[in-house]
Amino acid sequence: MDVPFGKPPVERADAARNREALLCTARAMIAELGTEKVTMDGLAERAGLGKGTVFRRFGTRAGIFRALLDAEEQRFQAAVLSGAPPLGPGADPVDRLIAYGRERTHFLLARQDIARAAVERKGPVPAGGPVFTQPHIGMLLKQARLGLPDPETLAFQLTSALEGPPLVFLSMDRSTAEQRAERCQGDLGALLADSWQTLIERLAGR
Amino acid sequence: MDVPFGKPPVERADAARNREALLCTARAMIAELGTEKVTMDGLAERAGLGKGTVFRRFGTRAGIFRALLDAEEQRFQAAVLSGAPPLGPGADPVDRLIAYGRERTHFLLARQDIARAAVERKGPVPAGGPVFTQPHIGMLLKQARLGLPDPETLAFQLTSALEGPPLVFLSMDRSTAEQRAERCQGDLGALLADSWQTLIERLAGR
């Protein structure tokens, strides 16, 4: 049987399985040991793969964490685009805006350690989130028909209001961020999520 | 007459005059030639000072622009703290919030070139503004008595909404930022300022 294009897809499926196995092992190591103990060598050993495979897949140690974040970001976006309401489609647009901000806040804060480890030494803090958040907020603001003169510019500002505070914590070193969260006397995520809800409710005149 | 501490203050006054003269010359060069043509050598020559003096004062070329930004930031903060209302004290807190956001937007956007030149190669984008903006917004939110459950956390988010969009443009290279502003079909500053006003008016239930 002539299967001229048979081999590359099979290799790609293998690569995808390898990748998934590596990410799965990395998640287990992070849960057990924390991000700081995850190294290229350690990951290769635990996954039973050569160090070269891990290196080719991720490039650098930070690349492991970037791949993890990408995978989680995909999952988050899928829940928004086709998951259950009110995060997913079907609910009132204002309820979706509130749900999006609440979920996004917890999503970003719960991944601070991984996001910090995903930054290359001396590299800029990656800012992939707004690329999805801004058009999503803009769409919901328009659907909500709140009589806003310029929902697109407001979406730009609300995206900053939502994604900015977690980035501020991310740009601090770890101990400073932990001290700040402690000083807030409570769960920073809950404070930010409740405050986002207040902002959207006022915007909607509720 | 015994003036044991006489000499250092005199030197400091000299240094302050030198510094002011250098900043003044730098401003004139930027207005004439644009930020990109301002160099340590060019500034020293035009100010009639040795290159060593300019180097000791600013450290790097980026340091010139940081010093300029610092001086303008001081002037902006003085206008907020003791200038004419509604930016300064005396007006209704909601009007002051609106005025602050409008002025701040134009302030940040008008200084994009200088802010870009103030970033050290490979260094992080400096983020000095929020240090003043966040407590100021928080104070006005409290004074306005809007029945907000948590004005401090909201001040954190509104600071990001205000200072974030200009930072997004700052993180782009110059031509991309200019293209984006052109695509907005108009004055980006006016769009952001109007949108900020809408946000605050809704927050205040106006």
Side-chain angles (χ1 to χ4, degrees):
Chain A
M1 214 173 113
D2 191 26
V3 193
F5 301 112
K7 203 144 185 252
V10 171
E11 276 186 353
R12 264 184 257 137
D14 259 16
R17 265 198 302 276
N18 259 351
R19 183 191 153 85
E20 210 25 76
L22 277 167
L23 291 181
C24 189
T25 306
R27 276 187 204 103
M29 288 179 79
I30 292 169
E32 267 174 54
L33 310 166
T35 53
E36 282 164 34
K37 295 277 168 59
V38 177
T39 61
M40 302 279 269
D41 284 338
L43 179 59
E45 196 187 316
R46 180 131 160 193
L49 291 166
K51 200 189 163 183
T53 307
V54 177
F55 186 81
R56 274 192 304 279
R57 190 63 60 206
F58 300 118
T60 60
R61 179 177 174 275
I64 301 171
F65 297 99
R66 261 201 314 281
L68 279 173
L69 277 185
D70 281 351
E72 311 243 308
E73 182 74 35
Q74 293 303 321
R75 215 151 25 151
F76 180 82
Q77 295 180 9
V80 174
L81 295 172
S82 56
L87 183 62
D92 172 81
V94 173
D95 291 328
R96 289 194 75 194
L97 268 172
I98 292 169
Y100 183 84
R102 295 193 72 95
E103 293 284 330
R104 187 76 187 163
T105 298
H106 292 302
F107 176 86
L108 292 173
L109 288 174
R111 281 152 191 83
Q112 292 269 301
D113 276 358
I114 298 179
R116 197 172 286 117
V119 179
E120 299 286 348
R121 270 167 197 276
K122 297 182 185 173
V125 173
V131 175
F132 179 78
T133 296
Q134 192 170 322
H136 185 64
I137 290 180
M139 182 195 75
L140 293 175
L141 282 178
K142 282 176 206 160
Q143 285 179 358
R145 301 183 180 282
L146 300 174
L148 295 163
D150 181 2
E152 276 191 40
T153 302
L154 190 58
F156 189 8
Q157 292 168 321
L158 289 177
T159 298
S160 293
L162 182 56
E163 312 246 336
L167 270 180
V168 169
F169 283 88
L170 190 55
S171 68
M172 296 172 185
D173 63 89
R174 197 178 154 158
S175 64
T176 312
E178 277 167 5
Q179 278 170 19
R180 276 282 288 269
E182 268 168 34
R183 235 190 300 149
C184 285
Q185 302 208 334
D187 180 359
L188 181 70
L191 294 177
L192 287 170
D194 288 349
S195 187
W196 170 264
Q197 180 159 350
T198 301
L199 184 60
I200 298 301
E201 283 173 349
R202 295 263 174 145
L203 204 57
R206 279 191 181 175
Chain B
M1 212 171 114
D2 191 27
V3 194
F5 302 112
K7 201 143 187 251
V10 172
E11 277 187 351
R12 264 186 256 136
D14 259 17
R17 266 197 302 276
N18 258 351
R19 182 191 154 84
E20 211 23 79
L22 277 168
L23 290 183
C24 190
T25 307
R27 277 187 204 102
M29 288 179 78
I30 291 170
E32 267 175 53
L33 310 166
T35 54
E36 281 164 35
K37 296 275 167 59
V38 177
T39 61
M40 302 278 269
D41 283 336
L43 179 60
E45 195 186 317
R46 181 134 160 190
L49 290 166
K51 200 189 162 184
T53 307
V54 177
F55 186 82
R56 273 192 304 279
R57 189 64 58 208
F58 301 118
T60 61
R61 179 177 174 274
I64 301 170
F65 298 99
R66 260 201 315 280
L68 278 173
L69 277 185
D70 281 351
E72 311 243 308
E73 183 75 34
Q74 293 304 320
R75 215 152 23 153
F76 180 82
Q77 294 180 10
V80 173
L81 295 173
S82 57
L87 184 62
D92 172 82
V94 173
D95 291 328
R96 288 194 76 194
L97 268 172
I98 291 169
Y100 184 83
R102 296 193 72 95
E103 292 285 331
R104 187 76 188 162
T105 297
H106 292 302
F107 176 86
L108 292 173
L109 289 174
R111 281 151 190 84
Q112 291 270 300
D113 276 359
I114 298 178
R116 197 172 287 117
V119 178
E120 299 286 348
R121 273 166 195 276
K122 297 182 185 173
V125 173
V131 174
F132 179 77
T133 296
Q134 193 171 323
H136 184 66
I137 291 180
M139 182 196 75
L140 293 176
L141 282 178
K142 281 177 207 159
Q143 286 181 356
R145 301 184 181 280
L146 301 174
L148 295 163
D150 182 3
E152 277 193 39
T153 302
L154 190 58
F156 189 7
Q157 292 169 320
L158 289 177
T159 298
S160 293
L162 181 56
E163 311 245 337
L167 270 180
V168 168
F169 283 89
L170 190 55
S171 68
M172 296 173 184
D173 62 272
R174 198 179 153 156
S175 64
T176 312
E178 278 167 3
Q179 279 170 19
R180 276 283 287 271
E182 269 168 34
R183 236 191 297 150
C184 286
Q185 303 208 332
D187 181 358
L188 181 70
L191 294 177
L192 287 170
D194 288 349
S195 187
W196 170 263
Q197 180 159 351
T198 301
L199 185 59
I200 298 302
E201 283 174 349
R202 295 263 174 146
L203 203 56
R206 280 192 180 174

